[in-house]
Amino acid sequence: MRAILKSGPGRGVELAECPSPKLVGAQDVMLEVSACGICGSDVQCYLGEERHLAGMPLPVILGHEVAGTILEVGGDVVDFVPGDRVVVESLAPCGGCEFCRLGMFNHCERGTRLGHTVDGGMAPLVAVPGSALFRIPDSLRFDHAAVLKPLGVALRAFERAPLQPGETVAVIGPGTVGLLAGMIARASGAAAIAIIGLERDRGRLELAASLGLTPVIDDPLDAVRELTGGRGSHLTIDASGGTGTLGLSVELTRPGGSIVLLGISGEERVSPAAAIMKELSIHGSLTRQPGTWQRAIALLAAGVIDVEPLITHRIALEEVEAAFEALVAGEGVKYVLEPNGGS
Ligand SMILES: [Zn+2]
Ligand SMILES: [Zn+2]
Protein backbone atom coordinates (compact mmCIF):
# COMPACT_ATOMS: atom_id res chain seq x y z
CA MET A 1 0.00 0.00 0.00
CA ARG A 2 1.08 3.63 -0.42
CA ALA A 3 1.50 5.68 2.74
CA ILE A 4 3.03 8.91 4.07
CA LEU A 5 6.35 7.96 5.57
CA LYS A 6 8.81 9.89 7.72
CA SER A 7 11.96 8.01 6.84
CA GLY A 8 14.82 10.04 8.28
CA PRO A 9 15.88 13.23 10.07
CA GLY A 10 15.51 16.62 8.43
CA ARG A 11 12.69 18.29 6.54
CA GLY A 12 10.13 16.38 4.50
CA VAL A 13 7.99 13.27 4.24
CA GLU A 14 7.54 10.87 1.33
CA LEU A 15 4.69 9.03 -0.32
CA ALA A 16 6.19 5.55 -0.31
CA GLU A 17 5.23 1.95 -1.04
CA CYS A 18 4.97 0.23 2.37
CA PRO A 19 3.97 -3.28 3.46
CA SER A 20 0.31 -3.51 4.46
CA PRO A 21 -0.15 -3.79 8.25
CA LYS A 22 -0.89 -7.16 9.84
CA LEU A 23 -2.95 -8.05 12.89
CA VAL A 24 -0.17 -9.09 15.26
CA GLY A 25 -1.85 -9.06 18.68
CA ALA A 26 -5.11 -10.82 19.54
CA GLN A 27 -6.34 -7.46 20.91
CA ASP A 28 -5.64 -5.60 17.67
CA VAL A 29 -8.07 -4.34 15.06
CA MET A 30 -7.57 -3.57 11.36
CA LEU A 31 -9.11 -0.34 10.13
CA GLU A 32 -9.87 0.99 6.71
CA VAL A 33 -8.92 4.66 7.12
CA SER A 34 -11.62 7.00 5.86
CA ALA A 35 -10.14 10.23 7.21
CA CYS A 36 -6.95 11.29 8.94
CA GLY A 37 -6.39 14.86 10.10
CA ILE A 38 -3.02 16.59 9.83
CA CYS A 39 -2.02 17.80 13.30
CA GLY A 40 0.33 20.60 14.29
CA SER A 41 2.68 17.97 15.66
CA ASP A 42 2.78 16.33 12.19
CA VAL A 43 3.98 19.68 10.86
CA GLN A 44 6.77 19.71 13.48
CA CYS A 45 7.63 16.20 12.33
CA TYR A 46 7.59 17.32 8.67
CA LEU A 47 9.97 20.15 9.56
CA GLY A 48 12.28 17.65 11.26
CA GLU A 49 12.27 19.32 14.68
CA GLU A 50 14.61 17.26 16.85
CA ARG A 51 12.43 17.48 19.96
CA HIS A 52 9.62 15.92 17.97
CA LEU A 53 11.62 13.22 16.19
CA ALA A 54 13.19 11.99 19.44
CA GLY A 55 11.62 8.64 20.29
CA MET A 56 10.37 7.99 16.74
CA PRO A 57 11.70 4.67 15.36
CA LEU A 58 12.13 5.91 11.77
CA PRO A 59 10.89 5.03 9.25
CA VAL A 60 7.33 5.36 10.53
CA ILE A 61 3.99 6.04 8.81
CA LEU A 62 2.53 9.33 10.11
CA GLY A 63 -1.07 10.07 11.06
CA HIS A 64 -2.80 10.00 14.43
CA GLU A 65 -6.20 11.70 13.92
CA VAL A 66 -7.88 8.64 12.46
CA ALA A 67 -11.50 7.77 11.71
CA GLY A 68 -12.50 4.66 9.78
CA THR A 69 -14.28 1.34 9.57
CA ILE A 70 -13.21 -1.93 11.17
CA LEU A 71 -12.27 -4.60 8.62
CA GLU A 72 -11.01 -7.35 10.93
CA VAL A 73 -10.63 -7.96 14.68
CA GLY A 74 -8.13 -10.04 16.64
CA GLY A 75 -9.30 -13.15 18.50
CA ASP A 76 -9.56 -11.48 21.90
CA VAL A 77 -11.53 -8.40 20.76
CA VAL A 78 -15.06 -8.65 22.16
CA ASP A 79 -16.34 -5.06 22.06
CA PHE A 80 -16.04 -4.40 18.31
CA VAL A 81 -16.96 -6.20 15.11
CA PRO A 82 -16.11 -5.66 11.43
CA GLY A 83 -18.20 -2.82 10.02
CA ASP A 84 -18.11 -0.70 13.17
CA ARG A 85 -17.34 2.97 12.50
CA VAL A 86 -14.72 4.23 14.96
CA VAL A 87 -12.21 6.88 15.95
CA VAL A 88 -8.85 6.12 17.51
CA GLU A 89 -7.21 7.42 20.67
CA SER A 90 -3.68 7.93 19.38
CA LEU A 91 -2.10 7.33 22.79
CA ALA A 92 -3.02 3.67 23.31
CA PRO A 93 -2.71 3.08 27.06
CA CYS A 94 -0.97 -0.03 28.39
CA GLY A 95 -3.69 -0.58 30.99
CA GLY A 96 -1.24 -1.87 33.59
CA CYS A 97 1.05 0.95 34.69
CA GLU A 98 0.43 2.94 37.87
CA PHE A 99 -1.25 5.82 36.05
CA CYS A 100 -3.48 3.58 33.90
CA ARG A 101 -4.58 1.80 37.07
CA LEU A 102 -5.47 5.19 38.54
CA GLY A 103 -7.57 5.98 35.45
CA MET A 104 -5.06 8.65 34.35
CA PHE A 105 -4.70 7.10 30.88
CA ASN A 106 -3.21 10.25 29.36
CA HIS A 107 -0.23 9.82 31.70
CA CYS A 108 0.41 6.17 30.73
CA GLU A 109 4.10 5.34 30.99
CA ARG A 110 4.26 2.50 28.48
CA GLY A 111 1.58 3.04 25.81
CA THR A 112 2.16 3.39 22.08
CA ARG A 113 1.70 6.61 20.11
CA LEU A 114 0.01 6.15 16.75
CA GLY A 115 1.94 7.73 13.89
CA HIS A 116 4.84 8.33 16.25
CA THR A 117 6.13 5.17 17.94
CA VAL A 118 4.01 2.87 15.72
CA ASP A 119 2.77 3.19 12.13
CA GLY A 120 -0.18 5.57 11.81
CA GLY A 121 -3.15 6.37 9.64
CA MET A 122 -1.86 8.39 6.68
CA ALA A 123 -2.42 5.18 4.76
CA PRO A 124 -5.38 3.16 3.43
CA LEU A 125 -5.07 0.66 6.32
CA VAL A 126 -3.86 0.81 9.91
CA ALA A 127 -3.68 -1.73 12.74
CA VAL A 128 -4.53 -0.35 16.21
CA PRO A 129 -5.27 -1.80 19.66
CA GLY A 130 -8.98 -2.40 20.17
CA SER A 131 -8.70 -0.68 23.57
CA ALA A 132 -7.93 2.61 21.75
CA LEU A 133 -11.22 2.76 19.82
CA PHE A 134 -14.44 4.71 20.32
CA ARG A 135 -17.54 3.95 18.26
CA ILE A 136 -19.12 6.85 16.36
CA PRO A 137 -22.76 7.11 15.24
CA ASP A 138 -23.75 6.50 11.61
CA SER A 139 -24.85 10.13 11.37
CA LEU A 140 -21.33 11.44 12.00
CA ARG A 141 -19.24 11.95 8.87
CA PHE A 142 -15.74 10.49 8.88
CA ASP A 143 -14.09 13.78 7.87
CA HIS A 144 -15.77 15.46 10.84
CA ALA A 145 -14.84 12.53 13.11
CA ALA A 146 -11.17 13.08 12.21
CA VAL A 147 -11.45 16.39 14.10
CA LEU A 148 -12.59 14.64 17.31
CA LYS A 149 -9.04 14.20 18.56
CA PRO A 150 -8.22 17.94 18.59
CA LEU A 151 -11.76 18.61 19.86
CA GLY A 152 -10.90 16.32 22.78
CA VAL A 153 -7.74 18.37 23.41
CA ALA A 154 -9.82 21.57 23.53
CA LEU A 155 -12.50 19.96 25.69
CA ARG A 156 -9.89 18.75 28.17
CA ALA A 157 -9.08 22.43 28.93
CA PHE A 158 -12.60 22.85 30.32
CA GLU A 159 -12.19 19.71 32.45
CA ARG A 160 -9.11 21.30 33.98
CA ALA A 161 -10.76 24.68 34.61
CA PRO A 162 -14.56 24.73 34.46
CA LEU A 163 -16.33 27.70 32.90
CA GLN A 164 -19.59 29.10 34.21
CA PRO A 165 -22.24 30.54 31.84
CA GLY A 166 -21.87 34.31 31.69
CA GLU A 167 -18.12 34.29 32.31
CA THR A 168 -15.54 35.64 29.89
CA VAL A 169 -12.83 33.76 28.01
CA ALA A 170 -9.61 34.67 26.23
CA VAL A 171 -8.04 32.14 23.88
CA ILE A 172 -4.50 32.67 22.63
CA GLY A 173 -3.76 31.02 19.28
CA PRO A 174 -6.36 30.64 16.47
CA GLY A 175 -5.25 27.20 15.26
CA THR A 176 -7.63 24.25 15.18
CA VAL A 177 -7.48 23.65 18.96
CA GLY A 178 -7.81 27.35 19.80
CA LEU A 179 -10.80 27.78 17.49
CA LEU A 180 -12.42 24.66 18.93
CA ALA A 181 -11.84 25.97 22.47
CA GLY A 182 -13.57 29.20 21.47
CA MET A 183 -16.49 27.24 20.00
CA ILE A 184 -16.85 25.18 23.20
CA ALA A 185 -16.77 28.38 25.27
CA ARG A 186 -19.53 29.82 23.09
CA ALA A 187 -21.62 26.66 23.38
CA SER A 188 -21.07 26.78 27.17
CA GLY A 189 -22.62 30.22 27.48
CA ALA A 190 -19.55 32.44 27.77
CA ALA A 191 -20.56 36.11 27.70
CA ALA A 192 -17.52 37.19 25.66
CA ILE A 193 -14.74 35.26 23.94
CA ALA A 194 -11.60 36.95 22.64
CA ILE A 195 -9.37 34.93 20.32
CA ILE A 196 -5.89 36.37 20.02
CA GLY A 197 -3.56 35.87 17.06
CA LEU A 198 -0.76 37.44 15.09
CA GLU A 199 -0.82 39.39 11.82
CA ARG A 200 -0.21 36.18 9.86
CA ASP A 201 -3.31 34.61 11.47
CA ARG A 202 -5.63 37.13 9.81
CA GLY A 203 -7.43 34.48 7.73
CA ARG A 204 -8.02 32.24 10.74
CA LEU A 205 -9.25 35.22 12.76
CA GLU A 206 -11.77 36.07 10.04
CA LEU A 207 -13.03 32.50 10.38
CA ALA A 208 -13.13 32.98 14.17
CA ALA A 209 -15.30 36.08 13.72
CA SER A 210 -17.73 34.08 11.57
CA LEU A 211 -17.99 31.60 14.46
CA GLY A 212 -19.06 34.34 16.88
CA LEU A 213 -15.67 34.87 18.52
CA THR A 214 -14.05 38.30 18.86
CA PRO A 215 -10.76 38.37 16.93
CA VAL A 216 -7.85 40.32 18.42
CA ILE A 217 -4.47 41.08 16.83
CA ASP A 218 -3.26 44.37 18.29
CA ASP A 219 -2.97 45.31 21.98
CA PRO A 220 -4.58 42.13 23.38
CA LEU A 221 -4.52 43.46 26.94
CA ASP A 222 -6.57 46.54 26.00
CA ALA A 223 -8.88 44.52 23.78
CA VAL A 224 -9.64 41.91 26.46
CA ARG A 225 -10.14 44.58 29.13
CA GLU A 226 -12.60 46.36 26.86
CA LEU A 227 -14.47 43.12 26.19
CA THR A 228 -14.66 42.21 29.89
CA GLY A 229 -15.73 45.47 31.54
CA GLY A 230 -12.13 46.35 32.41
CA ARG A 231 -11.59 43.25 34.55
CA GLY A 232 -9.89 40.67 32.38
CA SER A 233 -10.98 37.15 31.44
CA HIS A 234 -12.30 34.60 33.93
CA LEU A 235 -10.61 31.86 31.93
CA THR A 236 -7.61 32.19 29.63
CA ILE A 237 -6.62 29.27 27.39
CA ASP A 238 -3.18 29.32 25.80
CA ALA A 239 -3.45 27.16 22.69
CA SER A 240 -0.65 28.90 20.85
CA GLY A 241 2.59 27.13 21.67
CA GLY A 242 4.15 30.57 21.30
CA THR A 243 6.75 32.32 23.39
CA GLY A 244 5.79 34.78 26.11
CA THR A 245 2.17 33.68 26.16
CA LEU A 246 2.14 32.51 29.78
CA GLY A 247 3.16 36.04 30.80
CA LEU A 248 0.43 37.43 28.56
CA SER A 249 -2.08 34.98 30.05
CA VAL A 250 -1.27 36.21 33.57
CA GLU A 251 -1.86 39.78 32.41
CA LEU A 252 -5.12 38.96 30.61
CA THR A 253 -6.78 37.02 33.44
CA ARG A 254 -8.87 38.71 36.12
CA PRO A 255 -8.25 38.20 39.87
CA GLY A 256 -9.44 34.76 40.94
CA GLY A 257 -9.41 33.51 37.34
CA SER A 258 -7.84 30.47 35.73
CA ILE A 259 -5.28 29.80 33.02
CA VAL A 260 -5.09 26.55 31.07
CA LEU A 261 -1.92 25.77 29.15
CA LEU A 262 -2.53 23.62 26.05
CA GLY A 263 0.06 24.68 23.50
CA ILE A 264 3.50 23.36 24.33
CA SER A 265 5.68 26.43 24.22
CA GLY A 266 9.36 27.02 24.68
CA GLU A 267 11.09 28.85 27.49
CA GLU A 268 9.05 31.31 29.53
CA ARG A 269 10.05 34.00 31.98
CA VAL A 270 7.10 34.89 34.15
CA SER A 271 7.02 36.96 37.30
CA PRO A 272 5.07 34.87 39.83
CA ALA A 273 4.14 38.05 41.72
CA ALA A 274 1.30 39.01 39.39
CA ALA A 275 -0.14 35.47 39.51
CA ILE A 276 0.05 35.51 43.32
CA MET A 277 -1.49 38.96 43.67
CA LYS A 278 -4.39 37.89 41.44
CA GLU A 279 -4.67 34.44 43.06
CA LEU A 280 -4.69 32.79 39.64
CA SER A 281 -5.09 29.05 39.16
CA ILE A 282 -2.75 27.76 36.45
CA HIS A 283 -3.43 24.32 34.95
CA GLY A 284 -1.56 22.13 32.50
CA SER A 285 -3.82 20.16 30.17
CA LEU A 286 -2.61 17.05 28.36
CA THR A 287 -4.41 15.26 25.51
CA ARG A 288 -7.70 13.63 26.60
CA GLN A 289 -9.34 11.00 28.79
CA PRO A 290 -11.84 8.34 27.66
CA GLY A 291 -14.70 10.44 29.08
CA THR A 292 -13.47 13.41 27.04
CA TRP A 293 -13.86 11.34 23.84
CA GLN A 294 -17.40 10.38 24.73
CA ARG A 295 -18.41 14.00 25.27
CA ALA A 296 -16.56 15.17 22.14
CA ILE A 297 -18.46 12.58 20.06
CA ALA A 298 -21.73 13.67 21.70
CA LEU A 299 -21.05 17.35 20.93
CA LEU A 300 -20.64 16.61 17.22
CA ALA A 301 -23.44 14.05 17.02
CA ALA A 302 -25.88 16.46 18.67
CA GLY A 303 -24.79 19.34 16.44
CA VAL A 304 -23.72 21.49 19.41
CA ILE A 305 -20.32 21.95 17.75
CA ASP A 306 -20.01 22.00 13.94
CA VAL A 307 -16.45 21.40 12.75
CA GLU A 308 -17.33 21.80 9.06
CA PRO A 309 -16.10 25.45 8.89
CA LEU A 310 -12.69 24.39 10.25
CA ILE A 311 -12.06 21.78 7.54
CA THR A 312 -10.53 23.97 4.84
CA HIS A 313 -8.92 21.17 2.81
CA ARG A 314 -9.77 17.54 1.99
CA ILE A 315 -6.81 15.92 0.30
CA ALA A 316 -5.51 12.70 -1.27
CA LEU A 317 -2.23 10.95 -0.40
CA GLU A 318 -0.54 12.62 -3.40
CA GLU A 319 -1.36 16.06 -1.96
CA VAL A 320 0.06 15.59 1.54
CA GLU A 321 3.52 17.03 0.87
CA ALA A 322 2.02 20.18 -0.67
CA ALA A 323 -0.38 20.39 2.28
CA PHE A 324 2.53 20.38 4.73
CA GLU A 325 4.19 23.24 2.84
CA ALA A 326 0.91 25.17 2.84
CA LEU A 327 0.52 24.60 6.59
CA VAL A 328 4.08 25.82 7.19
CA ALA A 329 3.11 28.96 5.26
CA GLY A 330 0.05 29.36 7.51
CA GLU A 331 -2.56 28.58 4.83
CA GLY A 332 -5.88 27.02 5.82
CA VAL A 333 -6.90 25.49 9.16
CA LYS A 334 -7.70 21.79 9.18
CA TYR A 335 -6.45 19.48 6.45
CA VAL A 336 -8.13 16.08 6.33
CA LEU A 337 -6.52 13.30 4.31
CA GLU A 338 -8.89 10.79 2.70
CA PRO A 339 -6.53 7.90 1.81
CA ASN A 340 -9.27 5.77 0.27
CA GLY A 341 -10.88 8.65 -1.63
CA GLY A 342 -13.57 11.03 -0.40
CA SER A 343 -16.89 9.96 1.04
ZN1 LIG B 1 -1.45 15.56 17.24
ZN1 LIG C 1 -0.20 2.60 31.19
Side-chain angles (χ1 to χ4, degrees), residues 37-42 52 64-65 90 113 149-150 153 288 334:
I38 298 182
C39 172
S41 71
D42 294 318
H52 191 81
H64 58 274
E65 299 186 349
S90 54
R113 291 177 64 189
K149 200 220 70 170
V153 171
R288 316 141 289 274
K334 196 68 197 171

Side-chain angles (χ1 to χ4, degrees), residues 92-101 104-105 107-111:
C94 75
C97 75
E98 179 177 342
F99 293 107
C100 279
R101 292 171 63 175
M104 299 164 66
F105 299 105
H107 295 279
C108 173
E109 296 176 302
R110 289 197 294 266

Side-chain angles (χ1 to χ4, degrees), residues 134-223:
F134 295 89
R135 206 174 272 110
I136 57 171
D138 289 344
S139 59
L140 187 54
R141 287 165 47 168
F142 284 120
D143 54 348
H144 292 183
V147 187
L148 282 165
K149 200 220 70 170
L151 179 59
V153 171
L155 204 50
R156 178 74 179 155
F158 297 85
E159 294 175 348
R160 301 293 290 146
L163 173 72
Q164 300 300 324
E167 290 185 340
T168 56
V169 179
V171 178
I172 306 173
T176 302
V177 171
L179 290 166
L180 287 166
M183 292 163 85
I184 294 166
R186 189 149 196 270
S188 303
I193 307 152
I195 182 151
I196 300 161
L198 304 171
E199 186 56 44
R200 66 184 168 94
D201 298 318
R202 205 165 270 284
R204 292 174 176 188
L205 289 168
E206 279 172 20
L207 174 62
S210 75
L211 299 170
L213 315 176
T214 303
V216 174
I217 293 179
D218 301 318
D219 301 322
L221 196 53
D222 286 349

